Amino acid sequence: MEKVIEIKNLTKVYGNGRGIKDINLDIYKGDIFGFLGPNGAGKTTAMKIMTGLVRPELGDVKIFGYSVMEEYELAMEKVGCLIEIAEAYPYLSAFDNLKQLARYYSDVDNKRIDEVLELTGMIKYKQEKPKKFSLGMKQRLGLAAAVLSRPKVVILDEPLNGLDVEGMIDIRKMIQYLAEREQTTFFISSHLIHDVELTCNRIGVIYDGKMLNVESTPNILKNYATLENYFVSEVERNGRVSSCAR
Amino acid sequence: MAVFQAALVNEIEKLYKKKKALVAILLSLAVIVIGQLAIVVVRSGFGLRGAGSVEFPMLVLSVVVNTILPLFTALVAIDSFSGELSQNSMRITLTRPVSRFKIFTAKITAIVLFILATLLLLLIFSMLAGFIFNTNSATWDSLVRTVFSYLVSLFPMVVLALGIVLLANLFKSGISVFFVSILVFIVLKVLGVVFSQYSSLLMTTQLDWYNLFLVNSFPLGKIVRQFLIMLGSGIMLFTAGFYLFDKKEF
């Protein structure tokens, strides 16, 4: 299977001791990868390094074989992402916000902008400015921006933040649609474990900056009643090991 | 090149749509109106000549290069860096297939274009006001020198903008950058007076370098020296600013 994202020995420790330590991970084409971990485990740090917002102390991330540190433009060409809070320029309309991004891609025209606004249910707010948007609407616009360029890889950090139930279902459907129809690979972090269980086909658990385990969702569900049980057992086991070691 | 072009168009669109730049340009034009009114009052009230048609644009330039133009340049530069950093909107561009060098250069180019547009508008409107309201004393030579003075004023203003961009990448808050910029500006002005023999090295003194082009015995040596000092400081400030921008974590 084609390797889409290759993370090798990724390390970045902040002054407060938090961060990530020696993370190794491979993501394959068609994966909807769920990145699970408690608060402060290092999920966002890893995703920020993957998208070039933060530089690692050690290690590298390759997307389609291009290093994010060395060949940024090539590595990010087929990537769409949404990191932490979905940001938009408050003084530009939803359409103009997407138009700003569209200029970086030769094959994204106004029709495509309308398409993604339709896909995320934002078409009726096309000419409105995000300063009047609710958190959920901003999140939808952020998701529209992430899939605008028809990316082959989409990296989403807490994509369901601020969305209502209807919004969550819509976005889940959108992810599954893109994964099935366009073979888009997804790398998603979320606290909503039930949603991860329904959406993702591979799960990785990160705890205290270290990768604990990577397993396919069907395999996990063979041994555990729910993904939540698996997650709690993984984290508890690790917590116990580290407390025993002390 | 297409990627840089896209980044530049985006920066110009943001400047234009934010309306801050537009307000700055309108306020600059207000200076011309106020200046012209003052001259008309002086002339009709006291019977003094005030300024001739070509002298008026030079009077405007001497006022704006030391006051509102650095101020508006600072506002636009701070908004472009610290403003986007505090709103986290810098991430929108940074996670696209465009290198940080291209983003940084596009931002600087947009600021340069803003300064150029303001200078050109000031030139056109002050000339119009000069010709309409003041006695005609224009010669081709003085006209060319006036246009040239406006155009060369772009260089020291760009160096100043690069200095402010460096500060904007050094400090987190836009307000800190603004106050530090004003403080540095005042300190350099005072240093220029106290150590007048070294004043040509200071960027605040260079703001008036257009005067060199008005001297009848064209001082080529001095002009080249000043230009090289500005070029050197510009390159250093650009490099230092980019170094900090490139190392920044968002």
Side-chain angles (χ1 to χ4, degrees), chain A:
Chain A
M1 232 198 287
E2 191 190 344
K3 221 183 261 180
V4 174
I5 305 176
E6 209 180 332
I7 300 175
K8 275 216 166 99
N9 311 109
L10 210 59
T11 304
K12 169 86 188 175
V13 182
Y14 291 104
N16 56 14
R18 279 208 295 272
I20 51 170
K21 292 148 208 157
D22 199 25
I23 291 204
N24 290 286
L25 189 62
D26 290 330
I27 309 293
Y28 299 95
K29 192 176 176 185
D31 270 357
I32 306 179
F33 186 84
F35 199 37
L36 290 179
N39 289 333
K43 298 188 298 289
T44 301
T45 304
M47 291 173 116
K48 279 187 176 175
I49 296 174
M50 286 166 75
T51 49
L53 292 172
V54 169
R55 276 169 212 279
E57 282 159 27
L58 272 175
D60 198 2
V61 177
K62 283 186 177 167
I63 302 178
F64 289 108
Y66 297 111
S67 159
V68 172
M69 313 319 147
E70 309 292 333
E71 304 149 292
Y72 188 73
E73 283 186 21
L74 289 169
M76 293 303 282
E77 208 170 74
K78 293 170 186 163
V79 179
C81 62
L82 172 62
I83 304 292
E84 282 187 321
I85 310 150
E87 297 298 343
Y89 299 111
Y91 47 87
L92 296 179
S93 67
F95 181 85
D96 284 342
N97 260 289
L98 295 180
K99 183 81 194 165
Q100 282 256 330
L101 309 176
R103 292 196 182 103
Y104 293 112
Y105 309 95
S106 54
D107 57 341
V108 177
D109 52 9
N110 292 354
K111 208 174 134 233
R112 174 64 186 164
I113 297 178
D114 283 346
E115 234 172 75
V116 291
L117 284 170
E118 185 82 60
L119 196 68
T120 49
M122 288 296 289
I123 193 77
K124 47 186 179 288
Y125 310 111
K126 185 180 163 180
Q127 296 304 340
E128 279 186 35
K129 291 181 181 166
K131 60 182 169 194
K132 293 173 197 157
F133 286 179
S134 68
L135 183 62
M137 283 156 86
K138 279 187 190 163
Q139 199 70 5
R140 281 169 186 259
L141 184 61
L143 286 161
V147 298
L148 177 71
S149 59
R150 299 181 188 88
K152 298 276 172 232
V153 186
V154 180
I155 299 167
L156 303 172
D157 187 13
E158 301 290 347
L160 305 175
N161 254 357
L163 290 179
D164 51 20
V165 178
E166 196 187 343
M168 282 191 208
I169 295 168
D170 283 352
I171 298 307
R172 194 191 308 147
K173 276 183 187 162
M174 185 188 89
I175 292 170
Q176 281 163 345
Y177 171 84
L178 290 173
E180 275 167 31
R181 287 288 176 89
E182 297 178 25
Q183 282 284 293
T184 309
T185 307
F186 282 88
F187 190 102
I188 305 168
S189 87
S190 179
H191 285 109
L192 302 164
I193 208 151
H194 175 66
D195 210 82
V196 172
E197 186 180 320
L198 290 175
T199 319
C200 302
N201 53 25
R202 270 179 87 214
I203 309 287
V205 179
I206 184 171
Y207 182 79
D208 199 19
K210 290 180 207 126
M211 233 23 233
L212 296 188
N213 208 355
V214 179
E215 193 62 82
S216 78
T217 317
N219 270 354
I220 292 170
L221 295 177
K222 254 187 235 166
N223 302 319
Y224 295 87
T226 60
L227 187 59
E228 192 177 280
N229 291 355
Y230 166 74
F231 176 72
V232 171
S233 105
E234 282 292 315
V235 168
E236 269 193 351
R237 195 171 53 187
N238 194 273
R240 208 165 43 232
V241 168
S242 56
S243 61
C244 288
R246 267 185 242 132

Side-chain angles (χ1 to χ4, degrees), chain B residues 8 12 15 108-119 154 158:
Chain B
L8 181 59
I12 294 170
L15 257 182
I108 301 285
T109 312
I111 297 167
V112 172
L113 289 175
F114 162 77
I115 303 169
L116 183 66
T118 314
L119 278 169
L154 178 70
V158 170

Side-chain angles (χ1 to χ4, degrees), chain B residues 15 21 24-25 28 61 64-65 68-70 72-74 76-77 107-123 150-162 164-165 207:
Chain B
L15 257 182
I25 286 175
S28 309
L61 183 65
V64 295
V65 289
I68 56 166
L69 205 52
F72 292 149
T73 304
V76 169
K107 280 185 179 293
I108 301 285
T109 312
I111 297 167
V112 172
L113 289 175
F114 162 77
I115 303 169
L116 183 66
T118 314
L119 278 169
L120 287 178
L121 274 173
L122 278 168
L123 171 68
Y150 270 80
L151 291 180
V152 295
S153 293
L154 178 70
F155 293 109
M157 213 51 81
V158 170
V159 177
L160 187 84
L162 288 169
I164 295 163
V165 166
L207 292 173

